[in-house]
Amino acid sequence: MTESTVGERIVHRWYARPVFFVSDVQGALRFYIDKLGFEKRWHEADGKGKVCQVNRGECEIILCEDAARRDKGRLFVELTRDGLDELCREISERSVPTKKTWWGYDVIRIADPDGNELFFPSE
């Protein structure tokens, strides 16, 4: 493809949702809702299935219970200063374990019960 061809292409919105594999979807839901303030968007089989989605603002995560998958995911979440302040207050009030770490710069790491990680820039 030439540069002019690329520039003339119709640009479509790319929409992505990460999938975190979990050992117990109900337990994962409790963590994301009760500890991190997400809300359940949908859940297959009228809430009895093994795949669901949680949302908080524009952050959407699909949780999938799959005994064959033990791999871990990592999601980098960008927040405004006020959003980060609110998150820090909430995780402190809810006693959510965090770890300060480095990922090109200082970040706050929150791991879910299955070891999937959420990284938030700390400054």
Side-chain angles (χ1 to χ4, degrees):
M1 242 180 219
T2 66
E3 278 189 44
S4 61
T5 306
V6 171
E8 294 170 9
R9 291 180 54 198
I10 297 172
V11 179
H12 297 283
R13 178 175 178 246
W14 284 40
Y15 170 67
R17 294 173 288 170
V19 176
F20 283 176
F21 293 101
V22 298
S23 59
D24 172 24
V25 76
Q26 295 297 335
L29 273 170
R30 284 190 299 278
F31 176 80
Y32 282 92
I33 292 169
D34 297 342
K35 297 290 188 179
L36 297 183
F38 281 75
E39 61 183 40
K40 182 167 64 169
R41 177 67 180 253
W42 56 263
H43 194 155
E44 75 165 330
D46 295 323
K48 297 178 182 96
K50 296 182 184 245
V51 180
C52 65
Q53 179 177 311
V54 292
N55 292 24
R56 180 159 180 179
E58 294 181 14
C59 181
E60 302 174 340
I61 303 170
I62 295 173
L63 304 172
C64 178
E65 183 178 326
D66 184 343
R69 300 289 300 260
R70 293 290 178 229
D71 41 338
K72 310 292 181 249
R74 177 180 288 164
L75 178 61
F76 184 85
V77 182
E78 186 75 32
L79 297 174
T80 63
R81 178 78 246 168
D82 290 342
L84 181 60
D85 291 345
E86 181 179 331
L87 174 70
C88 289
R89 183 181 64 20
E90 289 174 7
I91 59 179
S92 175
E93 290 172 358
R94 297 173 183 153
S95 301
V96 177
T98 64
K99 179 181 177 184
K100 290 207 177 221
T101 190
W102 177 260
W103 200 50
Y105 47 85
D106 292 329
V107 296
I108 298 169
R109 175 189 175 269
I110 298 175
D112 74 10
D114 291 284
N116 294 298
E117 300 171 313
L118 291 97
F119 279 10
F120 301 90
S122 63
E123 290 299 323

